[in-house]
Amino acid sequence: MAADENDDLNRKVRKLAVDHAETRWLALRVDDDVKEIRADLRTVQRTQQEHTDILQEHTGRFDSIDAQLRSLTQLVGQVLERLEAPSDNQHDDSGA
């Protein structure tokens, strides 16, 4: 009976050793996956920052072009008003 108990204990110890080895392997695998995910995340964050910088640059350019376009539109409107004003006065003077 003592031999059976001894064999049973040896089997349990071997099983625990195998389980322990598997657990260590899985833990190392998880650590590797976490390192890979963190590296990927850093890459994504760098790319996102680059895109944010480009977007801000383009927004600045857009705002500048928009302001220039508004100014140009205003100038064209003023020129058109001046061109229309003398012709209206000529019709009023000749009709009176």
Side-chain angles (χ1 to χ4, degrees):
M1 212 156 164
D4 288 339
E5 288 178 7
N6 198 16
D7 288 343
D8 194 34
L9 284 176
N10 283 336
R11 270 182 272 164
K12 286 182 182 180
V13 168
R14 283 194 302 270
K15 183 174 178 351
L16 286 174
V18 169
D19 289 348
H20 178 70
E22 286 178 3
T23 302
R24 285 184 54 119
W25 183 86
L26 289 172
L28 290 173
R29 184 74 187 131
V30 168
D31 285 345
D32 290 344
D33 290 348
V34 167
K35 288 176 187 174
E36 185 178 330
I37 289 169
R38 285 183 178 159
D40 290 347
L41 181 60
R42 282 191 294 273
T43 301
V44 167
Q45 288 171 333
R46 277 194 304 270
T47 302
Q48 184 180 22
Q49 186 60 50
E50 290 171 6
H51 289 179
T52 299
D53 294 344
I54 291 169
L55 180 61
Q56 288 174 345
E57 182 182 325
H58 287 176
T59 299
R61 287 181 185 171
F62 174 79
D63 290 345
S64 174
I65 291 170
D66 185 53
Q68 291 174 5
L69 185 58
R70 287 177 190 271
S71 177
L72 183 59
T73 302
Q74 229 175 6
L75 287 173
V76 168
Q78 291 171 356
V79 168
L80 289 176
E81 286 175 6
R82 289 180 186 165
L83 289 175
E84 292 173 358
S87 64
D88 289 344
N89 289 339
Q90 287 176 357
H91 289 297
D92 290 343
D93 291 340
S94 63

